[in-house]
Amino acid sequence: MAFLELDGLVKHFSSFVAVDGLSLSVERGEFVSLLGPSGCGKTTTLHMIAGFQEPSAGSISVDGVDIVDVPVNKRDIGIVFQNYALFPHMTVADNVGFGLDMRRVAKATRDARVRRALEQVHLEALAGRYPKELSGGQQQRVALARALVIEPKILLLDEPLSNLDAKLREDMQIELKLLQRELGITTILVTHDQNEAMALSDRIAVMHGGRIVQLDAPYQGYEHPETPFVAGFLGKANLFDIAAASEAIDWSRIAQSGGPDVSATLGKRGALLCVRPEKMAFCSPEEAYLSGVVATRIFLGASWLYQIKVAQFGTILVAEQNRSASDKVEGSAVHLRWEPEHAALIPGDGQ
Ligand SMILES: Nc1ncnc2c1ncn2[C@@H]1O[C@H](COP(=O)(O)OP(=O)(O)O)[C@@H](O)[C@H]1O
Ligand SMILES: [Mg+2]
């Protein structure tokens, strides 16, 4: 049995089903993200683990013990909310010490633990300030220290970085990952940001409509999405309808050179081939799987992003690392291929 086990969790709000039979096993020290669009049930799942919401059905166990009937303050779980929820009238140190005061920890121990938690998030120097005297990033660190100071068994993070600007968010992601590894604390992050989930997680649970639709390590999920939803949620994807594409693409050539064998899926509804934009390469007409015309070219610094109009498929995205200036102006005729093993087969509904 894993350290944290969610088994068949369901949450109804009257007739509405927010979480619809969610099961997840998280190992001790693991970092798992719940990734999905707004409204898919991420926060509700986190709130059931924390004890703020009671499951309509299913069980939650930590270290082999069912915790569904254990009150919030006895669960040994630290939580960081999106809006930080700091107490405005308390100093940084008192905000961080609050959970220890509630637990009636002796003053000397309390003060030492507050100091250590503030050191962990590099805020020792600001212990006497009030929240309004802090930047967004600093407030976020206080919220993290407040969650860590109780030395929880599990850390829950609900979109903790989404109020920070992009540069700070990336810095904080790295800091958070290093701290999580150093402390070895079992962590569940809720986010709708696939880059954040990829950067931080050991595994990502992609959620849709109250369920986990795929659970994989970031690389595996990105390279081998099992549904079009997962393909699109974990990054940009070119999805080719296999049935419709058969005239344009010589599948036997792709299969012979190591690509997925699509022949078994040709009769199935919804079977797709997924090729990520950065796996597409410009090539000679003889080597090409597809040909088209550059519709737009966007310079992103590290890469060029092209939208290519291909007669049979509409618009295809191609990303090319910026090693030199691009000679592919809008209107240029181009030819495309990819390494056959870089295409993932999405099998469809089997009909
Ligand atoms: N207390 C509540 N009462 C009624 N509906 C709720 C309540 N909390 C959440 N919901 C609904 O449940 C769904 C899932 O919400 P939530 O878990 O907050 O989604 P997420 O965090 O993935 O954006 C949403 O449609 C939301 O409106
Ligand atoms: Mg939410």
Side-chain angles (χ1 to χ4, degrees):
M1 194 179 224
F3 184 62
L4 171 65
E5 288 274 357
L6 311 181
D7 190 14
L9 274 187
V10 175
K11 183 65 186 176
H12 297 277
F13 293 110
S14 56
S15 66
F16 179 76
V17 183
V19 176
D20 189 12
L22 183 145
S23 298
L24 175 66
S25 303
V26 180
E27 299 299 333
R28 194 188 291 270
E30 197 180 13
F31 195 126
V32 173
S33 290
L34 305 180
L35 172 70
S38 180
C40 73
K42 306 181 296 292
T43 293
T44 304
T45 303
L46 217 62
H47 283 181
M48 289 192 280
I49 302 170
F52 302 135
Q53 298 272 9
E54 195 184 334
S56 310
S59 69
I60 304 170
S61 70
V62 176
D63 223 355
V65 177
D66 192 317
I67 61 165
V68 166
D69 295 323
V70 176
V72 176
N73 57 358
K74 296 268 159 57
R75 285 194 187 192
D76 263 347
I77 288 175
I79 184 161
V80 178
F81 301 97
Q82 181 173 2
N83 60 7
Y84 317 138
L86 300 179
F87 301 116
H89 59 286
M90 287 186 190
T91 62
V92 165
D94 286 343
N95 265 282
V96 173
F98 181 77
L100 299 176
D101 297 338
M102 289 292 102
R103 288 168 173 76
R104 301 188 194 289
V105 174
K107 177 143 185 2
T109 311
R110 173 218 192 257
D111 291 350
R113 280 170 67 176
V114 168
R115 215 174 305 122
R116 195 178 61 203
L118 287 174
E119 278 167 19
Q120 283 167 344
V121 299
H122 312 298
L123 278 185
E124 317 82 290
L126 304 184
R129 287 211 193 161
Y130 289 87
K132 66 171 189 301
E133 300 169 332
L134 303 176
S135 70
Q138 290 164 340
Q139 291 184 38
Q140 198 279 338
R141 287 193 167 95
V142 177
L144 185 58
R146 190 175 58 179
L148 290 173
V149 78
I150 62 165
E151 297 173 355
K153 285 184 182 162
I154 295 172
L155 180 63
L156 304 177
L157 305 168
D158 193 351
E159 314 248 10
L161 307 180
S162 61
N163 289 337
L164 307 180
D165 61 54
K167 172 80 178 71
L168 184 58
R169 190 159 62 224
E170 281 181 21
D171 293 346
M172 287 293 299
Q173 282 171 5
I174 294 168
E175 213 176 289
L176 185 58
K177 181 70 209 169
L178 291 176
L179 184 61
Q180 187 269 340
R181 267 202 206 135
E182 183 190 317
L183 299 177
I185 186 166
T186 310
T187 302
I188 301 201
L189 169 74
V190 156
T191 181
H192 63 270
D193 176 343
Q194 86 267 18
N195 291 325
E196 188 160 297
M198 297 244 186
L200 288 167
S201 316
D202 297 312
R203 289 186 300 157
I204 299 174
V206 181
M207 288 184 64
H208 191 205
R211 294 167 172 268
I212 293 175
V213 288
Q214 189 167 340
L215 174 65
D216 263 319
Y219 185 80
Q220 177 69 15
Y222 185 82
E223 296 292 312
H224 299 283
E226 288 162 10
T227 70
F229 176 82
V230 173
F233 213 83
L234 287 178
K236 295 188 173 75
N238 294 302
L239 297 174
F240 301 116
D241 180 311
I242 287 177
S246 291
E247 298 200 354
I249 296 178
D250 183 353
W251 299 112
S252 62
R253 183 163 142 208
I254 293 177
Q256 276 160 20
S257 43
D261 181 2
V262 302
S263 56
T265 69
L266 281 175
K268 294 183 181 175
R269 207 170 52 198
L272 299 167
L273 200 69
C274 172
V275 186
R276 299 287 184 190
E278 72 280 9
K279 301 287 172 55
M280 295 274 186
F282 295 110
C283 65
S284 68
E286 297 73 42
E287 299 168 309
Y289 296 143
L290 296 169
S291 298
V293 173
V294 176
T296 55
R297 181 180 71 178
I298 298 166
F299 181 55
L300 296 174
S303 62
W304 297 94
L305 184 66
Y306 302 91
Q307 292 185 312
I308 314 280
K309 272 237 149 45
V310 175
Q312 304 90 335
F313 299 110
T315 303
I316 286 178
L317 285 176
V318 177
E320 187 183 41
Q321 200 181 340
N322 171 24
R323 294 182 186 279
S324 60
S326 162
D327 58 1
K328 293 172 191 67
V329 295
E330 292 168 7
S332 309
V334 292
H335 307 282
L336 293 167
R337 60 171 287 119
W338 56 86
E339 293 306 319
E341 69 271 22
H342 286 160
L345 189 61
I346 297 176
D349 65 4
Q351 307 247 326

